[in-house]
């Protein structure tokens, strides 16, 4: 029919019409599609921030990147951290810390602790699988770590799950493609 | 070609498509012409017949169309606007948390963060209660304005359900009289196979009479009273 023909010449007449759902929507429904997407992002964000508040650590879930803590932790393990100020740091505990000037946190074990009466501490760390302590990793001239460098203390772990994060970091295009596809799916598909 | 197409549109179809075409008729300025090609309101609805949610959406939309265009009721967006506001407020809390944490890094932002997170989840709870109890499965609230202008409006509500992997579609029409505040409802349950042809096109000739029958059964009861 003529009517269908005029409209059809500009749009795919068969096959995939990914905007099909959107075209049938009024303003409110379009706004709701955007809101739906925003709410999914917000929920993820709020859960993450909620975890930060609950654990007191700025990064409550971290992935082990190297094999320096084998056989306790392997590359790709997921670690759950807490950072409560009242908990004392003792030798033998596994802490995640950040060296000044570097933004990748390191997961190693505390081997020496010096504590003052008022609670200030200085501690030294070493990876279980390393030959020497971490003084080579610290800042130039720094021999000890302090409480402010601690991101958190390992409380629990999940094996292998962190491999996904490592893969996504090694192949960022894969990560962006995955996020783009998921985002497009939420935005373009009409929710019932 | 374009003129013939527009002539065909205003000629064929019901009065509704004429009204729709009228807005973009005439010389058809570039922008409204583009918008017109984008919207597919007047085309027969064709969906994937195996996709349950698409089937339900198209049946709901067509029922809406019948009530709004054939009986000329006015849609009331109050229920939908309520849901949109709740969602917007939730996102607002999330954005506040994001910006505050960026400007005052943790741990100074801890109290504000805690407040925003708790507020967000409270809003989520409110949203769930709202959609479950207030909105239920209602997808249309329409008003019939009293022609004399004296009595308050009569309200018509449409709600529907279609279970997953099931073919029985239930449509419920509720009538709330403006004057007496009485509520009457009527519903029908039909297999979706009655309304769609084998290619997935919704056959309005089979669907529209059902809606009209539902509507008239509620409207006539009123007259008898």
């Amino acid at each position: 029919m003529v009517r269908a023909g005029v409209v059809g010449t500009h749009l795919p007449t068969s096959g995939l019409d990914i905007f099909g759902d959107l075209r049938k929507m009024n303003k409110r429904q379009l706004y709701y599609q955007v809101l739906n997407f925003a709410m999914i992002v917000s929920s993820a964000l709020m859960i993450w921030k909620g975890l930060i508040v609950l654990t007191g650590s700025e990064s409550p879930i971290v992935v082990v990147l190297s094999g320096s803590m084998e056989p306790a932790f392997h590359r790709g393990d997921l670690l759950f951290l807490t950072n409560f100020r009242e908990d004392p740091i003792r030798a033998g505990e596994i802490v995640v810390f950040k060296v000044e000037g570097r933004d990748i946190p390191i997961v190693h074990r505390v081997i020496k602790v010096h504590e003052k009466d008022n609670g200030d501490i200085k501690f030294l760390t070493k990876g279980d699988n390393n030959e020497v302590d971490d003084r080579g990793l610290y800042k130039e001239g720094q021999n000890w770590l302090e409480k402010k460098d601690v991101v958190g203390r390992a409380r629990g772990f999940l094996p292998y799950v962190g491999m996904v994060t490592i893969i996504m970091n090694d192949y960022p295009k894969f990560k962006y493609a995955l996020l783009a596809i998921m985002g497009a799916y939420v935005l373009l598909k009409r929710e019932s | 070609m374009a003129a013939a197409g527009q002539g065909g549109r205003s000629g064929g179809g019901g009065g509704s498509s004429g009204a729709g075409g009228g807005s973009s008729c005439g010389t058809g300025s570039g922008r409204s012409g583009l918008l017109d090609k984008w919207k597919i309101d007047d085309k027969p609805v064709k969906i994937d017949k195996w996709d349950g949610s698409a089937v339900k959406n198209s049946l709901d939309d067509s029922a809406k169309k019948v009530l709004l265009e054939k009986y000329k009721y006015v849609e009331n967006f109050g229920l939908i606007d309520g849901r949109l506001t709740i969602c917007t407020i939730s996102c607002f809390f999330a954005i506040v948390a994001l910006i505050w944490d960026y400007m005052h890094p943790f741990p100074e932002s801890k109290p504000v963060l805690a407040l925003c997170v708790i507020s967000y989840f409270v809003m989520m709870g409110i949203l769930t209660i709202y959609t479950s109890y207030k909105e239920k499965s209602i997808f249309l609230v329409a008003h019939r304005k009293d022609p004399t202008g004296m009595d308050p409006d009569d309200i018509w509500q449409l709600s529907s359900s279609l279970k997953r992997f099931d073919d029985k579609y239930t449509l419920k029409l509720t009538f709330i009289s403006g004057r007496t505040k009485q509520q009457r409802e009527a519903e029908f349950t039909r297999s979706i196979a009655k309304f769609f042809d084998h290619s997935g096109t919704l056959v309005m000739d089979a669907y529209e009479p059902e809606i009209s029958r539902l509507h008239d059964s509620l409207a006539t009861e009123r007259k008898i009273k």
Side-chain angles (χ1 to χ4, degrees), chain B residues 18-59:
Chain B
S23 59
S24 63
C25 220
T27 52
S29 66
R31 197 157 166 265
S32 58
L34 189 69
L35 217 63
D36 210 42
K37 284 190 201 106
W38 174 257
K39 278 180 137 279
I40 52 175
D41 268 346
D42 303 331
K43 272 174 84 170
V45 177
K46 186 170 151 111
I47 44 95
D48 175 15
K49 63 185 175 192
W50 297 115
D51 180 359
S53 70
V55 165
K56 181 176 184 294
N57 285 334
S58 60
L59 284 173

Side-chain angles (χ1 to χ4, degrees), chain A residues 2-3 10-11 19 23-24 28 31-32 35 38-39 42-43 45-47 49-50 52-53 56 189-190, chain B residues 5 37-38 40 42 47 57 61 77 81 83-84 87-88 91 94 97 101 106 110 113 117 120 124 127:
Chain A
V2 178
R3 186 204 312 173
H10 299 267
L11 301 160
F19 296 107
R23 288 190 290 151
K24 297 179 198 145
R28 279 184 170 76
Y31 179 53
Y32 185 63
L35 260 188
M39 294 237 292
S42 303
S43 293
L45 184 73
M46 288 289 101
I47 291 177
K49 297 279 183 229
I52 290 181
V53 169
K189 184 132 201 312
R190 176 169 169 179
Chain B
K37 284 190 201 106
W38 174 257
I40 52 175
D42 303 331
I47 44 95
N57 285 334
D61 288 345
F77 294 107
D81 284 347
R83 175 163 45 106
L84 291 180
C87 292
T88 310
C91 290
D101 191 52
F106 190 79
K110 189 158 168 176
L113 272 190
V117 169
Y120 182 82
M124 286 286 113
L127 181 70

Side-chain angles (χ1 to χ4, degrees), chain A residues 163-175:
Chain A
M163 270 312 214
V164 179
T165 311
I166 293 181
I167 292 175
M168 297 228 278
N169 272 342
D170 286 345
Y171 305 104
K173 284 196 196 139
F174 173 69
K175 172 167 73 173

Side-chain angles (χ1 to χ4, degrees), chain A residues 9-20:
Chain A
T9 44
H10 299 267
L11 301 160
T13 47
S14 63
L16 203 61
D17 180 12
I18 51 175
F19 296 107

Side-chain angles (χ1 to χ4, degrees), chain B residues 195-212:
Chain B
F195 306 124
F196 287 90
D197 68 13
H198 65 277
S199 69
T201 311
L202 176 61
V203 182
M204 277 309 269
D205 293 339
Y207 191 50
E208 200 254 314
E210 293 274 356
I211 315 276
S212 304

